Amino acid sequence: MYAQMVKSEASNDDPALLAAFQARIDAGEKIEPKEWMPEGYRKTLIRQIGQHAHSEIVGQLPEGNWITRAPTLERKAILLAKVQDEAGHGLYLYCAAETLGVSRDELTEALLSGKMKYSSIFNYPTLTWADMGAVGWLVDGAAIMNQVPLQRTSFGPYARAMVRICKEESFHQRQGYDIMMKMARGTPEQKAMAQDALNRFWYPSLMMFGPSDKDSVHSAQSMAWKIKMNTNDELRQKFVDQTVPQAEYLGLTIPDPAVKWNEEKGGYDFSEPDWTEFFEVIKGNGPCNAERIEARQKAWEDGAWFRDGLMAHAAKQRTAQVAAE
Ligand code: 3HC
């Protein structure tokens, strides 16, 4: 079902309707769920919003791994709140996708069967407490860089979900940076852990923005429809420009000797991530892909009785309502 919905972006839509639609997009209007939209637009949104929702849900796993091992009660409470926020983000995004005519069950099944992706970053393990700092600082930092422009995306429900998500992501990023600051200014062992976490998360964070522009399949059409507001490389550059001075402030070293301010372009030069690794990870061959899907599969199966109970309750309520009318 999901495959049918997103299989082809080629459109048989009426050219006059398409032109009128594009004029609305160009004029900066928001498109709402019940309004006419090209099939390709709807499919692209289902793919992107659905994958984004899955990323929020799967993204709870690497950090959930550390809730019971947080070093203080305060850190535990903060981490717990952050992970709960991610669950909330997933739910807003599934709701936004549902307005396009796909159910949450269909999206979940597409994730579990491997038809739908989630962000490559969550296929890397979180090995030490410093990784909680690196994830908050870099991963949530990259997510904000990508998502702030999406507050202006053309599809109303997606843009509105992004406003709240971005506020919460800013808190997440700050809490990650705060952990890094404590570690970087702690004992030599703690500073070494912070550096090690930066070393492991740097390139995977750069990969979050997607392949380089020349290999990005969807960017051109998605930008014409204002589903995406920037290219992958533009956002990656902005992220590097923001992050390098933050690493300097921490007294940590970006694990890329090519990082150097380039006066002419007004940004840092840096090395590309290993794109072979990226494509392997999104094909399912990253360090934690199997473990992440297994965890989601188990959660789906364990929750079946609850979903069944809710449906039975709703059916009973409907019957009672009909009888009363
Ligand atoms: N991880 C997994 N797959 C990726 C990817 C990544 N980092 N980057 C690109 N891809 C996939 C695309 O989905 C596409 O595959 P598909 O055709 O099977 O869907 C393929 O690689 C080609 O890439 P494109 O550049 O053509 O794809 P897009 O135009 O969709 O751009 C994107 C990719 C920039 C990630 C875009 O989809 C986007 O902006 N998505 C919304 C934001 C999002 O999903 N963020 C997830 C981050 S994690 C998060 O938010 C959780 C927070 O708590 C940290």
Side-chain angles (χ1 to χ4, degrees):
M1 180 69 182
Y2 168 79
Q4 266 168 357
M5 277 185 210
V6 295
K7 204 164 95 201
S8 160
E9 284 175 26
S11 169
N12 300 321
D13 295 313
D14 175 346
L17 282 173
L18 277 176
F21 180 82
Q22 191 62 48
R24 290 190 62 198
I25 300 276
D26 296 343
E29 283 183 38
K30 289 272 176 273
I31 308 301
E32 297 300 336
K34 290 193 174 144
E35 293 172 342
W36 186 86
M37 61 184 76
E39 264 314 286
Y41 178 84
R42 194 175 68 84
K43 287 172 180 169
T44 303
L45 280 170
I46 292 177
R47 181 183 61 77
Q48 180 167 318
I49 301 173
Q51 291 185 174
H52 192 166
H54 295 326
S55 304
E56 302 281 356
I57 297 297
V58 177
Q60 294 176 98
L61 296 169
E63 288 176 297
N65 181 34
W66 279 91
I67 292 173
T68 54
R69 291 178 285 162
T72 65
L73 181 61
E74 191 188 5
R75 289 289 181 200
K76 189 196 280 271
I78 295 170
L79 187 60
L80 190 60
K82 178 193 189 287
V83 172
Q84 284 175 338
D85 283 352
E86 309 297 3
H89 299 173
L91 300 186
Y92 313 145
L93 289 165
Y94 283 130
C95 288
E98 279 174 321
T99 69
L100 292 156
V102 60
S103 73
R104 196 178 304 184
D105 287 7
E106 285 165 336
L107 290 171
T108 305
E109 277 152 17
L111 168 73
L112 297 179
S113 68
K115 289 197 188 89
M116 268 185 107
K117 297 186 169 75
Y118 57 91
S119 183
S120 49
I121 189 72
F122 301 119
N123 293 306
Y124 291 86
T126 44
L127 304 176
T128 71
W129 173 251
D131 289 8
M132 294 302 95
V135 167
W137 170 35
L138 301 172
V139 175
D140 291 79
I144 299 171
M145 193 55 83
N146 168 276
Q147 290 167 25
V148 164
L150 292 178
Q151 294 176 104
R152 291 179 287 113
T153 192
S154 60
F155 186 57
Y158 192 25
R160 290 189 287 274
M162 277 305 136
V163 174
R164 178 153 175 196
I165 291 178
C166 284
K167 284 197 180 122
E168 292 175 349
E169 295 293 5
S170 304
F171 150 66
H172 297 170
Q173 203 258 358
R174 290 295 297 270
Q175 70 85 36
Y177 196 71
D178 186 61
I179 294 176
M180 290 307 268
M181 207 130 73
K182 278 273 181 323
M183 303 286 289
R185 294 182 181 171
T187 62
E189 289 81 3
Q190 285 172 317
K191 185 167 181 185
M193 277 168 76
Q195 181 65 54
D196 172 60
L198 169 57
N199 293 350
R200 284 181 290 106
F201 277 93
W202 175 251
Y203 284 110
S205 300
L206 296 187
M207 292 175 193
M208 286 176 70
F209 297 95
S212 64
D213 290 352
K214 65 178 173 25
D215 296 319
S216 170
V217 191
H218 304 291
S219 282
Q221 181 59 73
S222 290
M223 286 178 69
W225 277 329
K226 296 189 184 162
I227 289 174
K228 270 171 93 162
M229 308 303 287
N230 303 86
T231 72
N232 301 352
D233 286 337
E234 274 168 19
L235 291 174
R236 193 169 9 254
Q237 179 70 54
K238 283 179 79 169
F239 174 74
V240 172
D241 293 346
Q242 172 184 281
T243 309
V244 171
Q246 293 173 346
E248 281 166 4
Y249 186 75
L250 291 171
L252 300 179
T253 309
I254 301 282
D256 173 7
V259 166
K260 192 166 180 281
W261 179 256
N262 179 332
E263 194 62 46
E264 210 174 303
K265 77 170 179 186
Y268 286 91
D269 289 333
F270 60 95
S271 307
E272 296 268 309
D274 176 351
W275 291 119
T276 313
E277 175 181 322
F278 169 78
F279 286 112
E280 278 303 309
V281 171
I282 67 173
K283 263 199 289 181
N285 303 325
C288 299
N289 295 60
E291 187 183 327
R292 300 296 184 233
I293 291 298
E294 257 170 52
R296 291 313 309 154
Q297 183 76 49
K298 181 172 183 317
W300 186 242
E301 284 161 13
D302 289 352
W305 68 271
F306 188 72
R307 292 191 301 279
D308 291 347
L310 279 179
M311 296 307 281
H313 179 69
K316 208 166 144 188
Q317 295 286 99
R318 263 196 311 274
T319 314
Q321 212 172 2
V322 171
E325 279 166 9

